Amino acid sequence: MASLAHWRDRHEAVLAMKQSHFEQRHQDAWQQFGERLDALERSRRRHDAGDGFTQAYRQICQHLALAQARGYSSHLVEPLQQLAMRGHQQLYRHRSQFAAQLLAFVLADFPRLVRAEWRLVTLALVLFFGSLIVMGLLVYGYPDLIYSVVSPAQVSEMESMYDPAARRIGQAAERASSTDWLMFGYYIMHNIGIAFQTFASGLLFGLGSLFFLFFNGLMIGAVAGHLTDVGFGQTFWPFVVGHGAFELTAIALAGAAGLKLGWALLAPGPMRRGEALRIAAKTSVRLIGGVMLFLLIAAFIEAYWSSMTWPQPTTKYLVGAVLWALVASYLMFAGRTPHAPD
């Protein structure tokens, strides 16, 4: 019995020594995390959690698990449990506030931002839709003009995609057997590529964005004019009228975001160009966030609605008119409050 008691005492002494070493090693980190939690619990700001909070919380959880597995005393385990519980509450709060921030951006902040940059947005819209409409009318009146901007192979592919006899409208023959889900992903990647190109090229003092707005307008207008001229307008227009509200608007807004970067480089004012570009980029990146949302919606509509052949053209035109009105109303009126005039 004496030897058993001696062994137990020795084990407890070793355990206490290990616990003491464990506490000394991590005490500063626990104290810093506790102080950070105190500050967070006193504040209601949405972005207080900051960088590294999740990593620090996970470290506390690891230390708690080790303390429990090694059988350390409740004097150590219970404070760690409290830290872990408080950290979990703050992490949950932070994630909930991120969702609230995202919702606020979608419902109010993005349309307000578009209206705040109305000059650049108007320039982008006029350049893009102006070149689209003018080129469409020219190609419709002078059919051979299509080959000045589109190769014969591309013209043939477009005709096959919008042939009234096609099973799925708007899909090339080699993709005809693809599922709607795969086409949804394809449309997202394709449209984001165009939007990012239009946006990022604004770093060339805005010239790149101006070029791609004009070029994309010419290409889309030429295709629209040609397909209408050859009699495929009955399939082309019902196909594009729905998702075009979001997709075409997004391309123009991406151009406006690129022009914002270019203008900061051309006219930095009293600031250095680097500083002016950094400030402009904050606005441009937020615009691109809204553009990505528009392109996501456009890809969904294109994959699951536009390509269907069973709805009557009149139905698609009505749905398209509603979607265009929705986009226009959203950008012009969403987020307006008596206390926050645009």
Side-chain angles (χ1 to χ4, degrees), residues 10-38:
R10 183 177 179 182
H11 173 73
E12 291 177 354
V14 171
L15 186 62
M17 185 180 300
K18 288 183 177 179
Q19 177 175 325
S20 177
H21 177 71
F22 184 74
E23 289 184 80
Q24 291 175 1
R25 183 178 179 184
H26 300 295
Q27 187 65 46
D28 290 343
W30 300 339
Q31 183 176 351
Q32 290 174 8
F33 189 70
E35 292 172 353
R36 192 169 188 179
L37 287 172
D38 291 339

Side-chain angles (χ1 to χ4, degrees), residues 198-276:
T198 306
F199 161 64
S201 59
L203 289 171
L204 300 174
F205 295 93
L207 295 177
S209 294
L210 290 173
F211 170 78
F212 283 111
L213 284 168
F214 184 71
F215 174 77
N216 288 323
L218 289 182
M219 290 289 291
I220 296 171
V223 170
H226 174 75
L227 293 175
T228 304
D229 177 64
V230 299
F232 289 175
Q234 59 182 316
T235 52
F236 173 76
W237 291 110
F239 174 79
V240 300
V241 70
H243 65 269
F246 292 93
E247 182 179 313
L248 299 182
T249 303
I251 293 174
L253 293 178
L259 292 174
K260 181 75 175 178
L261 299 179
W263 184 250
L265 294 173
L266 285 173
M271 296 180 290
R272 293 184 177 182
R273 280 194 170 88
E275 181 66 14

Side-chain angles (χ1 to χ4, degrees), residues 22 58-72 77 80-81 84:
F22 184 74
R58 289 175 179 171
Q59 188 179 51
I60 292 295
C61 292
Q62 291 173 355
H63 292 168
L64 173 61
L66 284 173
Q68 291 173 328
R70 294 172 180 176
Y72 291 158
V77 173
L80 285 177
Q81 286 178 330

Side-chain angles (χ1 to χ4, degrees), residues 38-46 48 90 93 97:
D38 291 339
L40 287 170
E41 290 164 353
R42 289 193 301 266
S43 174
R44 295 184 177 181
R45 293 173 61 192
R46 293 179 175 178
D48 284 329
Q90 290 301 320
R93 171 194 176 198
Q97 289 173 343

Side-chain angles (χ1 to χ4, degrees), residues 268-284:
M271 296 180 290
R272 293 184 177 182
R273 280 194 170 88
E275 181 66 14
L277 181 62
R278 185 183 65 82
I279 295 174
K282 292 182 179 180
T283 301
S284 294

Side-chain angles (χ1 to χ4, degrees), residues 34-337:
E35 292 172 353
R36 192 169 188 179
L37 287 172
D38 291 339
L40 287 170
E41 290 164 353
R42 289 193 301 266
S43 174
R44 295 184 177 181
R45 293 173 61 192
R46 293 179 175 178
H47 55 277
D48 284 329
D51 296 335
F53 180 83
T54 302
Q55 183 179 356
Y57 166 71
R58 289 175 179 171
Q59 188 179 51
I60 292 295
C61 292
Q62 291 173 355
H63 292 168
L64 173 61
L66 284 173
Q68 291 173 328
R70 294 172 180 176
Y72 291 158
S73 71
S74 60
H75 297 293
L76 172 62
V77 173
E78 289 180 2
L80 285 177
Q81 286 178 330
Q82 289 296 320
L83 286 176
M85 290 176 59
R86 292 168 63 196
H88 176 77
Q89 291 173 349
Q90 290 301 320
L91 187 65
Y92 178 78
R93 171 194 176 198
H94 178 65
R95 289 177 176 174
S96 299
Q97 289 173 343
F98 173 77
Q101 279 186 304
L102 180 61
L103 185 62
F105 174 77
V106 172
L107 296 180
D109 294 345
F110 175 61
R112 285 175 184 167
L113 190 61
V114 171
R115 294 193 295 271
E117 300 296 333
W118 67 270
R119 293 176 180 83
L120 294 175
V121 170
T122 300
L123 175 60
L125 288 171
V126 169
L127 186 60
F128 178 64
F129 284 101
S131 60
L132 188 158
I133 293 171
V134 170
M135 191 63 178
L137 292 174
L138 286 174
V139 170
Y140 184 75
Y142 304 93
D144 290 340
L145 191 60
I146 180 69
Y147 298 107
S148 64
V149 292
V150 183
S151 69
Q154 290 175 316
V155 170
S156 178
E157 181 181 3
M158 289 294 174
E159 290 177 353
S160 68
M161 289 170 65
Y162 296 100
D163 190 327
R167 185 177 64 88
R168 299 285 284 183
I169 303 302
Q171 298 181 10
E174 62 268 20
R175 295 196 304 270
S177 61
S178 299
T179 65
D180 289 337
W181 175 252
L182 291 177
M183 291 308 300
F184 175 56
Y186 169 80
Y187 292 139
I188 289 176
M189 296 305 297
H190 179 261
N191 294 339
I192 286 179
I194 294 176
F196 183 77
Q197 183 184 56
T198 306
F199 161 64
S201 59
L203 289 171
L204 300 174
F205 295 93
L207 295 177
S209 294
L210 290 173
F211 170 78
F212 283 111
L213 284 168
F214 184 71
F215 174 77
N216 288 323
L218 289 182
M219 290 289 291
I220 296 171
V223 170
H226 174 75
L227 293 175
T228 304
D229 177 64
V230 299
F232 289 175
Q234 59 182 316
T235 52
F236 173 76
W237 291 110
F239 174 79
V240 300
V241 70
H243 65 269
F246 292 93
E247 182 179 313
L248 299 182
T249 303
I251 293 174
L253 293 178
L259 292 174
K260 181 75 175 178
L261 299 179
W263 184 250
L265 294 173
L266 285 173
M271 296 180 290
R272 293 184 177 182
R273 280 194 170 88
E275 181 66 14
L277 181 62
R278 185 183 65 82
I279 295 174
K282 292 182 179 180
T283 301
S284 294
V285 169
R286 295 180 68 205
L287 279 172
I288 289 299
V291 166
M292 295 301 106
L293 174 64
F294 268 37
L295 292 179
L296 182 66
I297 296 172
F300 182 84
I301 296 172
E302 188 172 2
Y304 292 99
W305 167 255
S306 298
S307 61
M308 293 181 177
T309 55
W310 61 264
Q312 293 296 318
T314 302
T315 302
K316 287 198 170 184
Y317 286 133
L318 287 174
V319 171
V322 170
L323 291 174
W324 277 99
L326 179 64
V327 169
S329 299
Y330 168 72
L331 294 177
M332 288 190 294
F333 302 114
R336 289 186 184 273
T337 64

